[in-house]
Amino acid sequence: MTRTVGKMWEKYCLRPTQGPVSTTIPVFVYGTAWKKERSADLVYNAIKAGFRAVDTAAQPRHYQEHLVGDGIRRAIADGIVGRADLYVQTKYSPVSAQDLANMPYDPSATVTDQVHASIKSSLHNLRSNIDPDSVDESYIDTVIIHSPLSTLAQTLEAWHALETYVPRHIRNLGISNCTLSILRELCTSSQTTVKPSVVQNRFYEDTLFDVPLRAFCRENQIIYQSFWTLTANPDLVRSEPVQQLAHHVNITPAAAFYTLVMGLKDVAVLNGTKDESRMKEDLSAPKQVENFTLKQPELWQQILTDFRACVITWQYEVLILVTTADSVNASTEPGQLGLAAEYYGGLPTLVPSRYNTWHINSNSFTAQWALSAAASRLNLDVGQFTRPIERHLPSIDQLLVLDLPPVVDFGNLLSASVLIH
């Protein structure tokens, strides 16, 4: 299990990698997306306010990594922190996430060469000393693949390239915008020598709050980093358990929501506020909540239980049926299952279609997760999911195809009903 170190509600110790130095990550990470020309000043202000972790990316489209580095160097030069006091995290962003007119590598290069160019740029941008020659001594606490690449093979190629920097220039690796199937592959594959230390995902209803993925993270010493936490969850911020905690601890509902997300275990939260007073309010909240948990442990447990119920309000059955070739496309093999996914909002339900298959009424992320979870419950050795494919068939918006071993007994599979909760 992941260990908390120091005082409760402050930081986690990441899983050991190849290096002698263990890395700690604070429960709050300052997010720098969309800060543009204010990035340097905001990072400096965040560190001055008490943030000790900073997240950025080698993706000029949404981040100004060089300005983030300027803010860090300024805070170090002013004696606010030393480099060893900070957790600095950046990302290799695939071509699909880049502005082709402004990116840190040649988009026509191999994935391996893209990674090397991106890391070279990041080590320069995030060096702790203003002297450019200090790059050789520069290191980054964690580098994350911003999103899985088009194929699993390409994702593994990027991962292997990043592994060559561990532990000297990169201490830990992670992945963002990731599904459980991809994460499981990175953790269990014999092809990876450095296992993921962090996963950074949106925490929101469309992915069912990543319940199974977060459980996998806890079981495998991986810290889950939530982003888009406030923006995507206005209803949760207004929910009764959040309001109750805010009242009892005398903190803002936003701060109460952050700490309840942390209370789900092994979760660090990205916080991108630009308001200095909000920075201090949010940073002080975990300690205030810790004191509350010590003084009123039963009430805290009740509030946390009620909050968990808010993010696990779904329970439904998934009945998997084998589709015919006509219902998918002419190239579909008998050893494949097709799952058509439509989005109508609300919770997933099953409805019959005119193509003798079944639809899950949800978006592609939920459909992908549901099929993965169902296959896992059936103990199937599932293959890699394809990306959602647009189809021009009546009532079918997206299609996910799951490769299955040819030895699967479809007779048993047809009658399998899987309860997911």
Side-chain angles (χ1 to χ4, degrees):
M1 297 296 292
T2 308
R3 296 185 299 112
T4 52
V5 295
K7 295 181 179 179
M8 188 66 174
W9 296 93
E10 282 191 7
K11 52 190 172 182
Y12 301 102
C13 184
L14 297 185
R15 66 188 303 163
T17 55
Q18 298 174 356
V21 180
S22 61
T23 303
T24 58
I25 176 174
V27 293
F28 267 128
V29 180
Y30 189 66
T32 62
W34 306 102
K35 301 298 191 289
K36 300 183 179 180
E37 69 280 353
R38 295 186 62 194
S39 295
D41 288 341
L42 288 170
V43 167
Y44 178 85
N45 292 341
I47 294 173
K48 188 176 180 180
F51 278 93
R52 292 297 178 263
V54 178
D55 172 84
T56 185
Q59 185 205 36
R61 181 180 181 181
H62 296 152
Y63 297 81
Q64 298 300 310
E65 189 184 56
H66 64 294
L67 295 181
V68 171
D70 286 345
I72 291 172
R73 284 187 291 275
R74 180 180 162 197
I76 292 173
D78 286 356
I80 298 173
V81 291
R83 174 61 182 90
D85 301 319
L86 293 175
Y87 171 91
V88 179
Q89 173 177 286
T90 192
K91 307 176 191 75
Y92 154 70
S93 301
V95 174
S96 59
Q98 299 279 5
D99 175 358
L100 297 182
N102 183 17
M103 54 191 298
Y105 56 80
D106 180 355
S108 66
T110 66
V111 170
T112 297
D113 288 342
Q114 290 174 17
V115 170
H116 289 319
S118 182
I119 296 304
K120 180 179 179 180
S121 172
S122 293
L123 288 170
H124 173 79
N125 289 337
L126 300 173
R127 68 193 188 281
S128 59
N129 193 307
I130 195 171
D131 182 0
D133 293 334
S134 66
V135 170
D136 190 55
E137 301 302 320
S138 179
Y139 70 93
I140 300 166
D141 292 285
T142 299
V143 172
I144 290 173
I145 295 179
H146 211 154
S147 63
L149 282 73
S150 298
T151 66
L152 177 61
Q154 288 182 322
T155 302
L156 288 173
E157 182 182 350
W159 193 269
H160 294 156
L162 290 171
E163 286 180 328
T164 64
Y165 293 91
V166 179
R168 183 181 177 190
H169 289 298
I170 299 175
R171 300 285 169 81
N172 306 275
L173 300 181
I175 190 164
S176 183
N177 299 295
C178 181
T179 62
L180 179 55
S181 58
I182 294 289
L183 180 59
R184 184 182 285 115
E185 182 67 26
L186 291 173
C187 287
T188 61
S189 174
S190 60
Q191 300 179 53
T192 57
T193 57
V194 179
K195 303 304 180 181
S197 295
V198 300
V199 169
Q200 186 184 106
N201 271 8
R202 288 179 179 86
F203 182 81
Y204 70 147
E205 187 177 12
D206 285 4
T207 57
L208 300 180
F209 300 102
D210 271 340
V211 172
L213 186 144
R214 286 190 290 106
F216 182 86
C217 287
R218 290 193 299 272
E219 293 166 0
N220 290 274
Q221 295 183 284
I222 300 170
I223 295 298
Y224 180 92
Q225 296 180 2
S226 72
F227 74 94
W228 218 30
T229 312
L230 276 184
T231 305
N233 297 291
D235 290 341
L236 277 181
V237 176
R238 292 190 293 266
S239 67
E240 179 60 29
V242 171
Q243 296 298 318
Q244 190 178 6
L245 182 63
H247 170 73
H248 283 290
V249 185
N250 193 27
I251 56 179
T252 66
F257 178 53
Y258 280 143
T259 56
L260 282 166
V261 173
M262 294 172 188
L264 297 175
K265 293 185 179 180
D266 297 346
V267 177
V269 176
L270 267 72
N271 183 326
T273 182
K274 301 174 184 178
D275 187 302
E276 290 184 55
S277 62
R278 277 281 306 278
M279 291 178 183
K280 294 176 181 178
E281 287 177 358
D282 291 346
L283 287 168
S284 65
K287 179 61 179 178
Q288 292 173 268
V289 171
E290 179 190 14
N291 291 336
F292 172 70
T293 67
L294 296 174
K295 293 177 181 178
Q296 301 193 56
E298 292 183 1
L299 180 55
W300 159 250
Q301 285 301 325
Q302 183 58 57
I303 292 173
L304 183 60
T305 298
D306 292 344
F307 179 72
R308 282 200 181 101
C310 291
V311 299
I312 312 178
T313 58
W314 36 270
Q315 182 169 300
Y316 54 92
E317 289 189 349
V318 175
L319 184 63
I320 304 179
L321 298 181
V322 179
T323 62
T324 64
D326 288 341
S327 69
V328 184
N329 60 57
S331 63
T332 301
E333 298 294 331
Q336 291 182 322
L337 286 179
L339 180 65
E342 292 180 341
Y343 181 65
Y344 296 107
L347 295 178
T349 57
L350 293 172
V351 295
S353 80
R354 58 179 292 185
Y355 291 101
N356 298 319
T357 182
W358 291 76
H359 292 181
I360 283 186
N361 293 343
S362 184
N363 62 21
S364 60
F365 288 106
T366 302
Q368 188 175 27
W369 171 82
L371 189 53
S372 175
S376 176
R377 293 295 183 89
L378 292 172
N379 295 317
L380 297 177
D381 183 15
V382 300
Q384 177 58 42
F385 286 107
T386 65
R387 296 173 67 87
I389 305 170
E390 293 296 330
R391 295 293 180 195
H392 301 289
L393 297 174
S395 302
I396 297 183
D397 295 329
Q398 292 181 310
L399 178 71
L400 295 172
V401 176
L402 174 65
D403 294 322
L404 294 175
V407 297
V408 169
D409 183 345
F410 287 116
N412 292 335
L413 192 60
L414 282 169
S415 62
S417 180
V418 183
L419 184 65
I420 301 174
H421 54 76

